[in-house]
Structure formats: structure tokens, C-alpha cells
Amino acid sequence: MKKFEVFNGDITSPKGFQASGVHIGIKKKKKDMTLIASDVLAEAAGVFTTNKVCAAPVLVSKENIKSGKIQAIIVNSGNANACTGEEGYQNALKITKVTAEALHIDPADVVVASTGIIGVPLPMDIVVSGIKKAAKALSPKGGEAAAEAILTTDTIEKKIAVEVEIDSKKVTIGGIAKGSGMIHPNMATMLSFITTDAKIKGDFLQQLLKTTSDKTYNMITVDGDTSTNDMVCVMANGMANNEALSQEHPEVEKFIEAFHYVNEYLAKKIVQDGEGATKFIEVEVINSRSFKEAQTVAKSILSSNLVKTAFFGEDGNWGRILCSIGYSGVEFEVDEIEVFLGNKEKMIKIVENGQGTGFSEEAMEKLLKSKKLKIMVDLKTGKENAKGWGCDLSYDYVKINGAYRT
Amino acid sequence: MKKFEVFNGDITSPKGFQASGVHIGIKKKKKDMTLIASDVLAEAAGVFTTNKVCAAPVLVSKENIKSGKIQAIIVNSGNANACTGEEGYQNALKITKVTAEALHIDPADVVVASTGIIGVPLPMDIVVSGIKKAAKALSPKGGEAAAEAILTTDTIEKKIAVEVEIDSKKVTIGGIAKGSGMIHPNMATMLSFITTDAKIKGDFLQQLLKTTSDKTYNMITVDGDTSTNDMVCVMANGMANNEALSQEHPEVEKFIEAFHYVNEYLAKKIVQDGEGATKFIEVEVINSRSFKEAQTVAKSILSSNLVKTAFFGEDGNWGRILCSIGYSGVEFEVDEIEVFLGNKEKMIKIVENGQGTGFSEEAMEKLLKSKKLKIMVDLKTGKENAKGWGCDLSYDYVKINGAYRT
């Protein structure tokens, strides 16, 4: 039994949050600026791209989140403000300043994020007036517009909200996210913003976000490229008035479960909307010596261009799956491993004793027409399990990324 | 000045080697079996796939090459004899036995290689009669047919020969290779066979092959997948009658250079013929703290699907290149790194101070139409350099690997 309720909400569902999504003119027509603000200073935590080349807004936001408290998140899409040098850094700082002025808060309490083209300076006149527009548009019902305005090549909005009872108080968690190329473990071009009215201790929040991200956002891959701009940022404003959550709180597991659900949901939505993706693939690795090894095997399968193109071609190529496990670097006995392929309804064992099982081609063909597929690998080296999510590699991925100028 | 001569030859150019390439019926029409034999027992060395799931012929060949001596190499294409269990292993053993019988040599002096589809048992009746056919067809002019019969989805034969003078004797090195998908550092679906009439010490040959492979075959990538079947195998029969080569031989550098040339040539040919490739990309990383770091950066760029699709789209996307350097895991200062993009005639600086240089779009557009492109990265962290080679990612790659059943 789930201890939380999922409902059709977003980042403005928790108490004391307002948001807006507006068109400011970086993009031609689509909304391109999102603002999220808490009524009060909130506990905050963030995880950021591990790319050595990290964008100016990431540098500024990392600095601002160090205090453990922020009150607003400002995001532009259409321009990543990455590889823009000192000017880019100053621009990111200026964005926090202008946002703070508009909201009458401290610039150090603002997180800034950007996504879009790399290496082009931000059009700051547009951005400055845009921030004012976004601030004016703030609304307790602005979550949906906010979800829309952070998108780039995404085709659908990604948003969710859940409700959980803690200390007999209603606690709400909301989230929005964007993908959709350059998605790979360790923060890829991906933005995710989570709000909650839970009261929660700062260090516990940071630790929770880290462990959750490692099992959700860091276990998805679209193309193996880790971007310069990724971040996941969470704000917890305490307005639900529960007893402050920490590892010691008697009901903390309920919150952890709900928080994990929100982040896993958004992570999966990101891969489902991967550039050119026609199939969603879940990999579960079971009975591994360690959680890390299980993750490594899952990622190796999900990152293989040959596995990905096989799924695009609806080909049950177990040889490519086994091969991608083989070069993951993880130890296992080829003769003992078992691999299953299937969907929600049915799983077919495709590898046993290091060989194909001679499964029915017909059953497999039918199964591979599913939009959502699952691979399960039984390593038989231990007791740990891990999951990861990815998508196929299609003509459209090449088209979106290779021929977008034509 | 080159100390060796390249000429239009192959594995039967060195003294005392015969070869054949015949059609035996694993494939419908194309040649599918290659036999290479030395007149006398030869010093031998091999490097093999690092994939944990390694094919039966690899297991048998590793065992047979341990003695440091072999006399023949038998190869079938069209079926990889991988993931075929104990039956596959017994089949690989039988191939060495039948080959040995046909040539009146010891089965332990035979290396066996297979390439093609994974997980399907070899049709042994066809293979056995095929080996006899290949043995009958052996000829001192059989190198070209041999080069043809190892191909799978390759579009062109890959062969070369060079001549070098050692101890006033003519020493010849010949080679053939096949690609063309599943090509990635650490032995991908790639076979390369080198013959030489040089007299050379066994342990020196093994060490030379290892260091050369690390700089050639292990620095190419087509799709990042490392196969179950790869091997590079060299036979040196000593019939040139030079003083036995070792690190102490006064003219050893000449041989090393020629040997390196042969292997680099074949490695580059493999990526040029990568599945669906329309562009050949060389990456040179200079001024690195270590050779290994330089290699890591080169591979990271060459493996990026986003960089690869950008080249397919003839887009000078320096941001993606910089990004792929950023997630390589190698330390450098973003503000100091320089990146150049160009071809044989011209290199344009595209990144400086961590930013784009504002190069002429027109000049870049023209340059990107070249079939052979070069990226140079100046890390400015040390003195070491490395090179790697790859190709773009095209619709045809997806087609070849994803829709081959249609």
C-alpha cells in the first residue's frame, strides 16, 4: 500500500509557493522563462552537473545554495549561458540580482538555471525585462506555465505532485522537469525543481536529495552525454508545520518514499521524452554483489548504441544485451547469468547458461511492439538490485541532433 | 624520411606465407572463409577482446597462442560462434583440428577466429568441408581473397604491406583487417591479422603488439560497443633471415615504425569504413599530463553521440566538443584549453579561454564538407600527446543496426 497520494498537481501545489512561466523573447514564440518563489525563506538542496565544463548559472547556484537556504529559482530556456566566460558569469550573477530586487529578497537566496544553446551570450536586455515580467506573473496556480517554460526540445511537460500525512499534517511535494537530449547518469541536460511545504532539516534534505538522485536522475540515459547545465534543486519551506523531518523522525520513511516517487517519476518522464525515442526501456539488475555493480550493468546496457538501435528495429537481439553486460567491467559468470526481456504483462527468459534460450520468435516479435519494455538481468553474484531507464536510438535522434540546421 | 616502403601488397607478401579466401556457404554468396598459413612454424602474438562474454574461438586461440608459436590462422565470417556454450567451444576446437589435419600440422598451432551473428551454432558440416576447400585453395597470391573473406558489413577490403631493410635483408610486413560496427577501444568487433617474415624474439613480438594495439586499434571507435570476438594476431616466420629482432637490435626502431604504420593504417581503415560513416574524424590531444589522459579525452570526444551527429550534420558545434572533454573525467582548466577544428589544409581555432572564438561561419561550413576532419585539443597540462580516430553517426548507422530485418 502506498503511503502517499499522487494527484494532478505541480510545484505550486505545496503551501506557500508561487510560480510563473512566460515568454520573454529568447525563443521565438514559446515560453522561455520560469520563476518559482516561496513565500518564506526555504531549506534548499541541490545536485549539479559533474561536467568539468560547467555553465555560469551552475557556478552561481552552487555558491548560493551553500547556505542551505534559498527563496526563489529563476530559469531561462533557449540559451544555456554555458562556455560564455566571465561575461556569462557576470550575467548569471545579474540575473540573481534582478530577480531578488523584483521579489524583495537577497540575491544570495536565488538559484539560477539556464538551458538551451551553448556558447552564445544571453541577450541581457531581454532577460532583465523578462524577469520583471515573470515576477509580475507569479501565481499560486502558476506551476503548469512554469513546467512549460523550462522545456527545450521536449515534447511534453513533466510535472507531478504527491500528498503524504506526517504528524497528522498534510505535506505536499511537487516537481517539474525538462529533458531531453544529453541525458546520462551524473546530471545530464536536465533540470528538475522540487518544492515541498514539509518542515525538514537542511542537512537531511541535502543527503536525501543526493541518495535519491543517484537512484533516479543518475540512472537514466538518452545519449550518454553529460551536459554543462544540469541541476536538481529542492526547496522546503516548512509551511506544512510538521515536526522537522530528519532520519530520527518516526514517520520519515513515508516522506522518503513519496520524495523518491516524485523524482523517479520525473526521471522516467525525461527518458520517455528522450530525443527521437520510440521505446522506453527499463533495466533491472538483480542479485548483484553490490548496488554499484548492479547500476554499472544497467547503465552499460542502456548506453549501448547497438542495444538501442536493436530496440528501435524491434529486434530481440539478446547477443547485444549480453555483449554490453560483458564489457561493463563487472565480474560475473557467463554460464550462470540469466536475462529476461518483456513488458508489463510478460517476461521471456532470453539468456540462460550464457546462451540464447531459443524462445519463440513470434512471441518475441509481438512483445517488442510494446512502447515500454523491460530487461531483467540476474547476475547471481549477490543480493543487491538496481534499476535504470533509457530509450532506443532512432532516425529522429540523428535528425534532431545532426540535421537541425536543414 | 620514412624508413620503410609501403606497397600494394597483403599478408602473402612476406616470404613463406600462403592464404586463401573462399565461399563455403555460411553466407549466401560472399566469401566466408579465410585461411592463412606459414610454411614453417612462426613466432606468434595476439591481443584479444576484453569483453567478459568472449566467444569460443577467442578462448581456444588464447590457449593456443600461449606457446608463442603458431602456423596457421583459420577464420570464418557470417557467424561469430559467440554465446554458443560448450557446443560452441567444442566446435572451435574441432575447427583447429580439421585445419591442422588439412595442413599436416599440430592443432595447437592453429588460431581460430569467427565474426558475424552472435548466438547461432556454427553449421559444422559446411565449416568442415569449407576448411578442406580453403586448404586446397592456399596460394602465395591468396592474400587478397583472404582480405575479402573476413568481411561482414564492411564495404571495402582492408589490406596493406610494407618493406623495410634490416641487417641488409628485405623484411616484409603484411596485414588484413575487418570492421565495421561494434568498434570501440579495447578490441571491438574487429579482426586484424599481420604476417611478417622478420626473425623476431617471441616475447618482444608480444610486447610490441600490445603497445602498438593500445595506440592504434584501441584508439578507434565506431559505436562504443566492444565485441565478443575481436582479436589481432601476428605471425613472424623468420624467413627474411635477419638477426632476431629484440629491443637491443640496432635497427629495431625501423621495424617498430613499420609495424606501427601497418597497424595504424588498418585501424584507420576500419573506422573509415564504420557502419554508415560519412566522415572520418581524427582527434589529437596535445600537452596532456599523461598519455593515458590524452587518450581518455580523445576517446570521450570520439564516443559522444552528440559530437558524432553534429559532424553528420556538418555543424561546427564546438560546445558539444568542449562538453565531451568536460565529462571525460580528466583534469584541466576550462579557461586555458584550446580546441582546433579542420582538415588537412586548414585548422581553425574554435575554443579559447573556455569560449567560442567567433570564427567565420562561412569558413567553417566549407571546412565541414571535408570527408576527413581533424580535432586538435591543447589541454595545457603537460607534454604528452595521443591520437584517436572515429566517425560520425548517421541515419545509415541506425538503419544498418536497427532495421536490418526489414
Side-chain angles (χ1 to χ4, degrees):
Chain A
M1 198 192 76
K2 267 186 203 160
K3 298 175 195 94
F4 54 88
E5 287 289 323
V6 182
F7 67 99
N8 183 20
D10 52 59
I11 45 165
T12 45
S13 301
K15 266 185 220 126
F17 285 98
Q18 298 194 57
S20 62
V22 294
H23 176 252
I24 67 168
I26 300 175
K27 293 183 189 167
K28 268 187 194 152
K29 284 189 179 173
K30 289 185 178 170
K31 290 198 173 93
D32 47 11
M33 180 162 278
T34 283
L35 179 59
I36 310 167
S38 170
D39 292 350
V40 297
L41 195 61
E43 296 291 332
V47 287
F48 299 91
T49 180
T50 55
N51 197 313
K52 180 88 184 138
V53 179
C54 89
V58 171
L59 295 173
V60 170
S61 295
K62 269 181 162 174
E63 194 56 38
N64 285 358
I65 217 161
K66 267 188 193 159
S67 67
K69 297 200 195 289
I70 63 163
Q71 195 162 349
I73 301 171
I74 178 86
V75 194
N76 75 274
S77 60
N79 184 316
N81 192 15
C83 307
T84 44
E86 179 59 24
E87 183 194 347
Y89 186 76
Q90 292 302 332
N91 285 343
L93 275 181
K94 183 159 186 186
I95 289 172
T96 62
K97 223 174 134 184
V98 175
T99 305
E101 274 166 17
L103 302 177
H104 309 289
I105 61 174
D106 189 325
D109 295 333
V110 177
V111 152
V112 51
S114 299
T115 176
I117 191 164
I118 290 179
V120 178
L122 275 173
M124 282 306 286
D125 47 342
I126 290 176
V127 170
V128 167
S129 58
I131 293 170
K132 291 170 191 164
K133 186 172 172 184
K136 268 186 207 146
L138 275 179
S139 145
K141 298 206 177 301
E144 188 149 355
E148 192 188 329
I150 58 172
L151 306 181
T152 55
T153 52
D154 306 59
T155 64
I156 49 160
E157 291 157 31
K158 297 153 193 79
K159 64 188 195 64
I160 185 178
V162 307
E163 218 176 271
V164 57
E165 208 180 76
I166 311 260
D167 300 326
S168 307
K169 315 270 180 180
K170 188 174 90 174
V171 168
T172 306
I173 308 173
I176 60 172
K178 64 108 3 196
S180 71
M182 257 200 189
I183 302 296
H184 192 64
N186 306 315
M187 298 296 101
T189 302
M190 186 196 86
L191 299 175
S192 181
F193 303 110
I194 312 293
T195 58
T196 178
D197 47 23
K199 192 173 278 185
I200 187 164
K201 292 195 173 155
D203 51 352
F204 176 66
L205 182 63
Q206 178 65 47
Q207 179 206 317
L208 178 62
L209 180 63
K210 175 78 177 68
T211 55
T212 305
S213 294
D214 282 345
K215 292 184 183 178
T216 57
Y217 306 109
N218 288 340
M219 285 309 294
I220 59 175
T221 181
V222 169
D223 56 16
D225 280 76
T226 300
S227 116
T228 50
N229 283 61
D230 307 317
M231 69 170 78
V232 179
C233 185
V234 49
M235 296 167 84
N237 69 8
M239 290 177 75
N241 230 358
N242 55 298
E243 292 296 315
L245 287 159
S246 71
Q247 201 59 65
E248 286 71 42
H249 191 291
E251 290 181 289
V252 71
E253 284 306 326
K254 261 158 77 175
F255 184 80
I256 291 174
E257 210 177 293
F259 188 77
H260 186 94
Y261 184 87
V262 165
N263 289 287
E264 184 178 307
Y265 175 88
L266 292 172
K268 283 156 97 170
K269 280 285 168 203
I270 288 168
V271 269
Q272 278 174 44
D273 196 22
E275 283 172 345
T278 74
K279 305 277 181 192
F280 172 73
I281 306 161
E282 173 170 290
V283 174
E284 184 170 14
V285 179
I286 64 169
N287 297 322
S288 169
R289 281 195 305 201
S290 71
F291 178 65
K292 210 174 149 49
E293 287 198 348
Q295 283 194 317
T296 301
V297 169
K299 284 184 200 171
S300 189
I301 298 168
L302 289 164
S303 303
S304 161
N305 277 354
L306 285 172
V307 170
K308 287 156 72 80
T309 47
F311 277 110
F312 175 61
E314 300 190 343
D315 175 21
N317 199 315
W318 60 268
R320 291 185 185 177
I321 296 172
L322 193 56
C323 177
S324 68
I325 302 169
Y327 62 70
S328 68
V330 166
E331 286 296 316
F332 63 92
E333 289 303 320
V334 178
D335 293 349
E336 290 181 8
I337 194 171
E338 290 183 2
V339 183
F340 300 78
L341 180 59
N343 57 19
K344 250 189 189 172
E345 284 86 42
K346 191 176 179 176
M347 294 292 284
I348 299 178
K349 190 188 283 187
I350 55 170
V351 173
E352 191 173 41
N353 304 324
Q355 298 172 65
T357 52
F359 49 83
S360 143
E361 290 275 341
E362 204 185 340
M364 183 54 73
E365 224 169 274
K366 216 172 135 190
L367 196 146
L368 286 165
K369 294 199 189 306
S370 311
K371 289 280 169 218
K372 296 189 182 186
L373 290 158
K374 180 165 179 171
I375 299 168
M376 195 171 79
V377 179
D378 188 346
L379 284 177
K380 299 196 180 167
T381 57
K383 298 273 176 204
E384 297 293 327
N385 307 330
K387 275 184 189 176
W389 303 273
C391 58
D392 59 344
L393 173 59
S394 70
Y395 293 129
D396 276 355
Y397 176 84
V398 178
K399 190 172 180 182
I400 293 165
N401 287 296
Y404 58 85
R405 297 194 313 171
T406 61
Chain B
M1 200 193 74
K2 268 185 204 161
K3 295 177 197 93
F4 54 87
E5 289 288 324
V6 182
F7 66 99
N8 182 20
D10 52 60
I11 45 163
T12 46
S13 301
K15 265 184 222 128
F17 286 98
Q18 299 193 56
S20 61
V22 294
H23 175 252
I24 67 167
I26 299 176
K27 293 183 191 166
K28 267 188 195 155
K29 283 187 178 174
K30 289 186 179 170
K31 290 199 173 92
D32 48 12
M33 180 161 279
T34 283
L35 179 59
I36 311 167
S38 171
D39 292 350
V40 296
L41 196 61
E43 296 291 332
V47 288
F48 299 91
T49 182
T50 55
N51 196 313
K52 181 87 183 138
V53 179
C54 89
V58 171
L59 295 173
V60 171
S61 294
K62 270 182 162 174
E63 194 54 39
N64 286 357
I65 217 160
K66 267 189 192 158
S67 67
K69 298 201 196 288
I70 63 164
Q71 195 160 350
I73 300 170
I74 179 85
V75 193
N76 74 273
S77 59
N79 183 316
N81 192 15
C83 308
T84 43
E86 178 60 23
E87 182 193 348
Y89 185 77
Q90 292 302 333
N91 285 343
L93 273 182
K94 181 156 187 188
I95 290 172
T96 63
K97 223 172 132 184
V98 175
T99 306
E101 273 165 17
L103 301 176
H104 310 290
I105 61 173
D106 190 328
D109 295 333
V110 178
V111 153
V112 53
S114 300
T115 176
I117 191 165
I118 291 179
V120 177
L122 275 173
M124 282 306 287
D125 47 342
I126 290 176
V127 170
V128 168
S129 58
I131 293 170
K132 291 171 189 163
K133 186 173 172 185
K136 269 187 204 141
L138 276 178
S139 144
K141 299 206 178 302
E144 187 148 355
E148 193 188 328
I150 58 172
L151 305 182
T152 55
T153 53
D154 306 59
T155 64
I156 49 160
E157 289 156 32
K158 297 154 194 81
K159 63 188 195 65
I160 185 178
V162 307
E163 216 175 273
V164 57
E165 210 180 76
I166 309 263
D167 301 325
S168 307
K169 314 272 179 177
K170 188 175 92 176
V171 168
T172 305
I173 308 174
I176 61 173
K178 65 113 353 202
S180 71
M182 260 201 187
I183 302 298
H184 192 63
N186 306 318
M187 299 294 102
T189 301
M190 188 197 82
L191 299 175
S192 181
F193 303 110
I194 312 292
T195 58
T196 178
D197 48 23
K199 191 172 277 184
I200 186 164
K201 290 192 176 157
D203 50 352
F204 176 67
L205 183 63
Q206 179 63 48
Q207 177 205 320
L208 178 62
L209 180 63
K210 176 76 178 67
T211 55
T212 305
S213 294
D214 282 347
K215 291 183 182 177
T216 56
Y217 306 108
N218 287 340
M219 286 307 294
I220 59 176
T221 181
V222 168
D223 56 18
D225 279 77
T226 300
S227 116
T228 50
N229 283 61
D230 308 317
M231 70 171 78
V232 180
C233 184
V234 49
M235 297 167 84
N237 69 9
M239 290 177 77
N241 231 357
N242 56 297
E243 291 296 314
L245 287 159
S246 71
Q247 201 59 62
E248 285 70 44
H249 191 291
E251 291 181 288
V252 71
E253 284 305 327
K254 262 159 73 176
F255 183 81
I256 291 175
E257 212 176 292
F259 188 78
H260 187 95
Y261 184 88
V262 165
N263 289 286
E264 183 177 309
Y265 175 89
L266 292 172
K268 283 157 94 169
K269 280 285 167 201
I270 288 168
V271 268
Q272 280 173 44
D273 195 20
E275 284 172 344
T278 75
K279 306 277 183 192
F280 172 73
I281 306 161
E282 174 170 288
V283 174
E284 184 171 14
V285 178
I286 63 169
N287 297 322
S288 168
R289 282 195 304 198
S290 72
F291 177 65
K292 210 175 150 49
E293 285 197 349
Q295 283 194 319
T296 302
V297 169
K299 283 184 201 172
S300 188
I301 298 168
L302 290 164
S303 303
S304 161
N305 277 354
L306 285 171
V307 170
K308 288 157 71 80
T309 46
F311 276 111
F312 174 62
E314 300 189 343
D315 174 22
N317 198 313
W318 60 268
R320 292 186 186 177
I321 297 172
L322 193 55
C323 177
S324 68
I325 302 168
Y327 64 69
S328 67
V330 166
E331 286 295 317
F332 62 93
E333 290 302 320
V334 179
D335 293 349
E336 289 181 9
I337 195 169
E338 289 183 2
V339 183
F340 300 78
L341 181 59
N343 56 20
K344 250 189 187 170
E345 283 86 42
K346 192 177 179 177
M347 294 293 284
I348 298 177
K349 190 189 283 189
I350 54 171
V351 173
E352 191 173 40
N353 304 326
Q355 297 173 64
T357 53
F359 49 83
S360 143
E361 290 274 343
E362 203 185 340
M364 182 56 72
E365 224 169 276
K366 216 172 133 190
L367 197 145
L368 285 167
K369 294 199 188 305
S370 309
K371 289 279 169 218
K372 295 189 183 187
L373 291 158
K374 181 166 177 169
I375 299 168
M376 195 170 79
V377 178
D378 188 346
L379 283 179
K380 299 194 180 167
T381 57
K383 297 275 177 203
E384 296 294 325
N385 307 331
K387 275 186 190 173
W389 303 274
C391 59
D392 60 344
L393 174 59
S394 70
Y395 293 130
D396 277 355
Y397 176 84
V398 179
K399 191 172 179 181
I400 293 165
N401 288 296
Y404 59 86
R405 296 195 313 172
T406 62

